[in-house]
Amino acid sequence: MYHIGFGVNDLGVSPPTMALLSGDPERARLIAHTYLQDVRLLSENRGLNSYMGYLPNGRPILCATSGMGAPSLSIVVNELLQVGIRQIIRVGTCGSIQPHIAVGSIVISSAALCRQGAANDIAPVEYPAAADPFLTVALVKAAQELKIEHYLGITASVDTFFEGQERTDSANPYLLRSLVGITEEYQHLHILNYEMECGTLFKMAGVYQFAAAAVCAVISQRTVAENIILTQKDIAVQNAIATAIHTAANSVF
Ligand SMILES: O=P(O)(O)O[C@H]1O[C@H](CO)[C@@H](O)[C@H]1O
Ligand SMILES: O=c1cc[nH]c(=O)[nH]1
């Protein structure tokens, strides 16, 4: 495959059908090398690092990189489907927009408000961006079993980290009028968090007919400040990874 840098022939006689998909290539590497056995690097093409390995129960699984944002994710997901992947769990990071959702916890997305241009090339704007219910319940069950603080609800997926998430402490302090107050509006709509991939992933799942779910580590608390809390990022990410791995290891998907 041109972008992900590997093909079905690189996946052996019993190829994986599930992928854990991270925006950050370093997270894909961390998941593979911390939790999987017999790990093999498949490709580092364009920084879209992909690894294949085995869960303790012998199940093969892929750890792949989406890159940041929906255009890159849409290419990677399309190619992953072409090599036989049928279940994708996004293991991401996000910013909480609700006061009770603290940094360090995780958000499991039931659906997404999809404000993403790439998704409009794949499905009408009104098309639902819904997570797979079975995979999502499995994530919740995993977080419960691991006693990880978790929240289930709607995620806002947008195309920009700064303007689209109403950040003004950046190179561009001037927001479009249509974006001023959008976070408060989303709070009233009971949206839990901001990130940049789930909406397009979920719409692709509906159109391409595969199962998608997402668990994101909360690394900023937007009711308090705009910045990322680096001191708690590692624990938050570990919580999201552990939840995804527990789900993959205990599910029959
Ligand atoms: O940590 P990842 O998975 O990249 O996810 C989040 O982090 C990036 C922005 O910092 C965006 O991709 C956003 O969705
Ligand atoms: O605030 C945040 C944190 C991570 N990723 C996002 O998109 N936003």
Side-chain angles (χ1 to χ4, degrees):
M1 289 290 133
Y2 177 66
H3 300 92
I4 60 176
F6 64 91
V8 70
N9 293 339
D10 298 308
L11 299 178
V13 286
S14 171
T17 60
M18 178 178 273
L20 304 185
L21 188 60
S22 305
D24 181 353
E26 180 53 28
R27 193 175 315 131
R29 192 201 63 76
L30 177 73
I31 298 171
H33 286 287
T34 309
Y35 287 96
L36 304 185
Q37 295 159 1
D38 298 327
V39 174
R40 198 153 52 83
L41 173 68
L42 293 170
S43 171
E44 294 179 312
N45 193 40
R46 291 176 180 255
L48 299 171
N49 295 14
S50 296
Y51 306 84
M52 186 181 150
Y54 296 86
L55 292 162
N57 63 6
R59 181 184 189 182
I61 192 162
L62 209 67
C63 292
T65 307
S66 65
M68 284 186 284
S72 179
L73 170 128
S74 74
I75 295 169
V76 170
V77 168
N78 191 309
E79 293 187 353
L80 288 178
L81 267 283
Q82 293 185 58
V83 301
I85 294 299
R86 291 293 174 270
Q87 305 91 24
I88 295 179
I89 301 178
R90 165 163 156 71
V91 186
T93 61
C94 69
S96 160
I97 65 168
Q98 296 292 345
H100 63 284
I101 301 183
V103 170
S105 64
I106 59 173
V107 172
I108 296 164
S109 304
S110 55
L113 177 151
C114 184
R115 217 176 76 218
Q116 304 202 286
N120 296 338
D121 283 354
I122 297 166
V125 69
E126 302 88 352
Y127 193 85
D132 180 79
F134 304 102
L135 208 43
T136 302
V137 167
L139 283 170
V140 171
K141 202 161 161 268
Q144 283 169 346
E145 284 172 7
L146 296 171
K147 300 194 185 333
I148 288 171
E149 186 180 339
H150 61 282
Y151 300 89
L152 172 68
I154 299 167
T155 291
S157 299
V158 301
D159 282 338
T160 48
F161 179 83
F162 292 104
E163 291 88 343
Q165 299 181 23
E166 210 183 346
R167 283 187 165 90
T168 51
D169 188 13
S170 84
N172 179 12
Y174 302 106
L175 290 180
L176 296 176
R177 268 175 291 187
S178 57
L179 291 174
V180 175
I182 196 127
T183 306
E184 191 185 350
E185 189 165 288
Y186 287 176
Q187 286 164 354
H188 292 308
L189 296 172
H190 305 290
I191 288 170
L192 305 187
N193 59 333
Y194 275 130
E195 59 77 74
M196 298 174 59
E197 289 86 12
C198 284
T200 299
L201 173 67
F202 295 163
K203 285 193 175 187
M204 290 181 82
V207 173
Y208 295 26
Q209 292 287 283
F210 66 94
V215 53
C216 286
V218 178
I219 61 167
S220 69
Q221 214 328 332
R222 297 298 311 285
T223 61
V224 177
E226 292 188 6
N227 60 309
I228 303 296
I229 309 299
L230 287 173
T231 50
Q232 289 178 73
K233 181 179 170 187
D234 285 353
I235 182 68
V237 168
Q238 284 300 342
N239 284 339
I241 294 172
T243 301
I245 287 285
H246 197 70
T247 301
N250 292 293
S251 68
V252 288
F253 297 105

